[in-house]
Amino acid sequence: RVKLRGHDVYIYLLLEFQSSVDRFMAVRVAYYTLAFYMDFIAHRKPVEKLPALFPIVVYNGSERWTAPERLAELVESELELGDYGVQCRYFKIAENEIDREWLLTVRNVVSTLFLAEAHYNIDLLVAEVVNLFEQEADKQAASLLVNWFHQLVIHGRVQEADYAALEQEYRSTQEVREMLIEALEKEKEQIRQQGIEQGIEQGIEQGIEQGIEQGIEQGIEQGAAVMRTTIEQILQHRLGELPQHIHDQLQRCNLTALNALVNPALDAVTWDRFAAHLPGQQAD
């Protein structure tokens, strides 16, 4: 409800969350809008006028959003329909297009969430979430964000049994900081162990007939391959397409060297920053 020219005006917000690019998003938004209005008419009688509806698409994927925002751009233009053509446009919020420094000046629940999804940096995120908890007037909203991140990191998703815990309010800043650091360190360790354990397990299974020693050796090689793939996937998610020279250098790294590259990959903000941690390179 907002004041407009001295009157109360009600605006409905239609939020659509996208993790991938959908070329026909404008068609879906138009369908949602009309479906809402049909439902409104059916359940709110008598109806003289429909309420304003503002459609917003929030996109948190890593690829650039390329879908048209206007429905008219998806319709053949050979026949000019003028006012008789269906008109619909959504407001796009692409998290990966929002500058990190600008988000740091906003410093609220939404900007912190966008930082976590689009500009992932462990040290920065811990500092921002703790600051949010100290400054945010709505402690419950801040706590929900903290708990959401905590559960997401540990479980990969928020399970139904954990939902009640999301309402817990953390009143101690130190408790918030310790919880986040613990959860984020656990995430790093899981990424490390995933490559090592998968590789060794597969290698030992393959090496039963060839001898345990050979199996473990193969397992370490397999572990390096899994770890290498994991690091490349992290880098691609954070920075985009993997440069060929980075790929080539990772291929030459053994398991020990790859294990040391997990943290730099998670914290990388540029390719040069990450490259400085590769064997044979010297960090600035």
Side-chain angles (χ1 to χ4, degrees):
R1 185 176 64 179
V2 297
K3 284 285 186 182
L4 182 64
R5 301 186 184 93
H7 299 282
D8 286 335
V9 177
Y10 289 87
I11 300 176
Y12 283 80
L13 298 179
L14 171 64
L15 290 171
E16 171 70 11
F17 295 93
Q18 283 289 118
S19 59
S20 59
V21 179
D22 182 350
R23 173 169 172 75
F24 292 96
M25 191 71 243
V27 178
R28 289 173 55 189
V29 170
Y31 173 78
Y32 296 153
T33 301
L34 293 176
F36 169 80
Y37 281 148
M38 291 296 293
D39 186 73
F40 188 90
I41 293 170
H43 294 89
R44 302 284 186 93
K45 294 181 179 180
V47 176
E48 294 185 5
K49 284 193 175 182
L50 298 170
L53 190 149
F54 186 52
I56 302 173
V57 173
V58 182
Y59 172 63
N60 68 348
S62 57
E63 302 294 328
R64 189 170 69 88
W65 183 264
T66 56
E69 298 170 30
R70 296 177 182 271
L71 179 59
E73 296 178 44
L74 295 167
V75 179
E76 291 286 356
S77 59
E78 280 76 5
L79 181 62
E80 182 59 52
L81 297 175
D83 293 339
Y84 296 99
V86 178
Q87 304 297 321
C88 182
R89 183 183 182 183
Y90 59 85
F91 184 80
K92 176 194 68 175
I93 300 177
E95 295 179 12
N96 61 2
E97 294 179 5
I98 302 176
D99 182 68
R100 187 182 76 164
E101 299 307 315
W102 184 81
L103 290 173
L104 289 172
T105 65
V106 177
R107 307 191 102 175
N108 60 20
V109 173
V110 176
S111 65
T112 305
L113 174 62
F114 284 9
L115 277 171
E117 293 194 320
H119 303 282
Y120 185 80
N121 178 286
I122 288 178
D123 295 333
L124 174 64
L125 190 56
V126 170
E128 286 304 303
V129 171
V130 170
N131 176 77
L132 175 68
F133 190 80
E134 291 176 331
Q135 304 298 327
E136 178 62 45
D138 188 347
K139 295 297 184 188
Q140 186 177 26
S143 295
L144 287 172
L145 178 64
V146 171
N147 280 279
W148 166 80
F149 190 75
H150 184 225
Q151 296 294 326
L152 200 63
V153 168
I154 292 179
H155 300 292
R157 61 187 176 87
V158 178
Q159 300 180 20
E160 184 176 353
D162 297 320
Y163 184 77
L166 294 180
E167 297 182 355
Q168 176 184 353
E169 292 191 29
Y170 286 88
R171 305 185 185 279
S172 165
T173 297
Q174 185 62 29
E175 185 179 14
V176 172
R177 181 184 296 274
E178 290 176 355
M179 182 198 69
L180 279 174
I181 292 175
E182 177 185 356
L184 292 167
E185 287 301 323
K186 184 171 183 177
E187 179 193 32
K188 287 184 179 181
E189 186 60 28
Q190 286 176 341
I191 291 174
R192 288 195 195 95
Q193 292 301 320
Q194 180 183 5
I196 296 173
E197 292 174 3
Q198 278 186 345
I200 291 178
E201 181 179 349
Q202 292 175 16
I204 290 177
E205 289 177 356
Q206 294 172 0
I208 290 177
E209 296 179 358
Q210 303 170 10
I212 295 299
E213 183 176 348
Q214 183 180 358
I216 292 176
E217 183 178 346
Q218 290 178 350
I220 292 174
E221 292 176 0
Q222 183 67 27
V226 173
M227 181 69 76
R228 191 177 294 112
T229 299
T230 300
I231 290 174
E232 289 185 350
Q233 289 174 345
I234 293 171
L235 290 169
Q236 288 173 336
H237 176 74
R238 290 184 55 76
L239 303 176
E241 185 176 353
L242 191 74
Q244 186 62 43
H245 71 279
I246 298 290
H247 171 77
D248 294 341
Q249 286 180 278
L250 288 173
Q251 292 297 316
R252 294 192 289 269
C253 292
N254 59 25
L255 184 58
T256 301
L258 291 167
N259 185 54
L261 290 172
V262 172
N263 282 3
L266 287 168
D267 298 336
V269 292
T270 66
W271 288 113
D272 289 340
R273 291 279 185 87
F274 175 75
H277 294 276
L278 290 167
Q281 305 294 321
Q282 184 171 359
D284 294 335

